[in-house]
Amino acid sequence: MTTILVTGGTGTLGRLVTERLRADGHEVRVLSRHSRPYAVDLREGTGLAAAVAGVDTVVHCATTPRGGDEQAARHLIEAARQAGVRHLAYISIVGVDQVPLGYYRTKLAVERLVEESELGWTVLRTTQFHDLVLQLLQGSAKLPVMLLPAGVADQPIEVAEVAARLAELATGAPAGRVPDMGGPEVRTFPELARAYLRASGRRRPLLSMRLAGKAYRGFRTGGHLTPERAVGKGTFEQFLAGRFPAGG
């Protein structure tokens, strides 16, 4: 079995990837800003050399919309090259090359750094996790009226399924850009909101609003969707049933 480093290994995805890899018998190092003994801020890089020493594969899950992902990737790639890492697997998002959102542009830039890293590499793009869609809806439900982006659909996927696929890819040979992974259904935001309200036992009127900007147009045209790769199994309703077992 190999030694695998998971960056962002305490996060929503990284934690499940770590659990899956360990269950399969691999030695896994968890790297995050506060997880000892590999407490490393990738944006600074201090302590990174020790974290990657003797590592065969790096699974790069660490990310933040607040900025710094490109600098973090540069530090990680340089340390991985010096340590002789065989395989770098990176999780990205469907539509990073279609929707001109700042965070998506950053993810695309990191993809390119990975591709040009001179390491063996694998990149998996997936649609948004159920967890993120729920967070968006919960935030909207704090208002008397739920405000939703008009004309926008989503294709949420179960994070555990993504973790299983990423762990599988990480333990295989570098595969380059692999086929995208999308949730089982493309759903409008009103449909998703009604499902959330039913599951949580809440009541809110819905109001769809047209927004401005190129990113919104990218979402309206479905640049973040992959209906031809609807390989996920768990639906949004099944996810919600696990979060709200008593309807509230």
Side-chain angles (χ1 to χ4, degrees):
M1 294 299 175
T2 56
T3 299
I4 301 174
L5 175 72
V6 180
T7 74
T10 59
T12 300
L13 175 62
R15 176 177 53 82
L16 295 180
V17 172
T18 296
E19 291 174 358
R20 184 63 177 254
L21 290 170
R22 284 176 173 164
D24 290 340
H26 298 280
E27 179 185 341
V28 181
R29 300 179 186 176
V30 172
L31 185 147
S32 73
R33 285 181 296 169
H34 306 294
S35 179
R36 298 190 180 279
Y38 304 110
V40 175
D41 186 334
L42 285 172
R43 295 167 298 183
E44 299 175 0
T46 304
L48 188 52
V52 299
V55 165
D56 178 77
T57 299
V58 173
V59 183
H60 188 27
C61 298
T63 185
T64 173
R66 294 186 293 275
D69 276 14
E70 290 180 65
Q71 182 69 6
R74 290 188 183 96
H75 286 151
L76 180 63
I77 289 167
E78 179 59 27
R81 278 202 299 249
Q82 292 185 10
V85 168
R86 177 186 65 88
H87 188 185
L88 173 59
Y90 179 58
I91 184 70
S92 191
I93 306 170
V94 170
V96 292
D97 54 350
Q98 300 294 322
V99 180
L101 187 69
Y103 179 56
Y104 279 31
R105 285 172 169 162
T106 297
K107 296 288 284 187
L108 181 60
V110 173
E111 282 189 13
R112 289 171 176 160
L113 289 172
V114 169
E115 293 168 7
E116 297 167 0
S117 67
E118 300 177 3
L119 299 168
W121 60 273
T122 300
V123 170
L124 171 66
R125 292 180 182 177
T126 76
T127 52
Q128 301 293 345
F129 302 154
H130 291 314
D131 306 69
L132 178 59
V133 176
L134 175 59
Q135 290 176 17
L136 294 173
L137 295 174
Q138 286 176 323
S140 182
K142 291 179 181 179
L143 301 173
V145 176
M146 288 187 72
L147 303 178
L148 305 172
V152 176
D154 210 341
Q155 191 180 351
I157 191 168
E158 174 56 50
V159 65
E161 295 180 25
V162 175
R165 175 61 173 150
L166 191 56
E168 176 187 35
L169 291 168
T171 54
R177 168 85 186 281
V178 297
D180 294 347
M181 188 174 184
E185 301 173 320
V186 175
R187 307 285 297 279
T188 68
F189 260 93
E191 288 173 339
L192 294 167
R194 293 187 189 102
Y196 160 69
L197 292 172
R198 285 194 301 270
S200 63
R202 308 185 74 176
R203 294 185 178 181
R204 290 288 188 279
L206 308 180
L207 178 61
S208 294
M209 298 182 61
R210 292 185 66 88
L211 304 175
K214 294 181 180 178
Y216 172 60
R217 289 197 294 273
F219 285 122
R220 277 180 59 90
T221 57
H224 61 304
L225 306 176
T226 181
E228 69 283 0
R229 291 292 303 163
V231 296
K233 303 299 184 185
T235 67
F236 191 56
E237 279 81 1
Q238 290 169 333
F239 166 78
L240 291 171
R243 290 298 182 93
F244 304 100

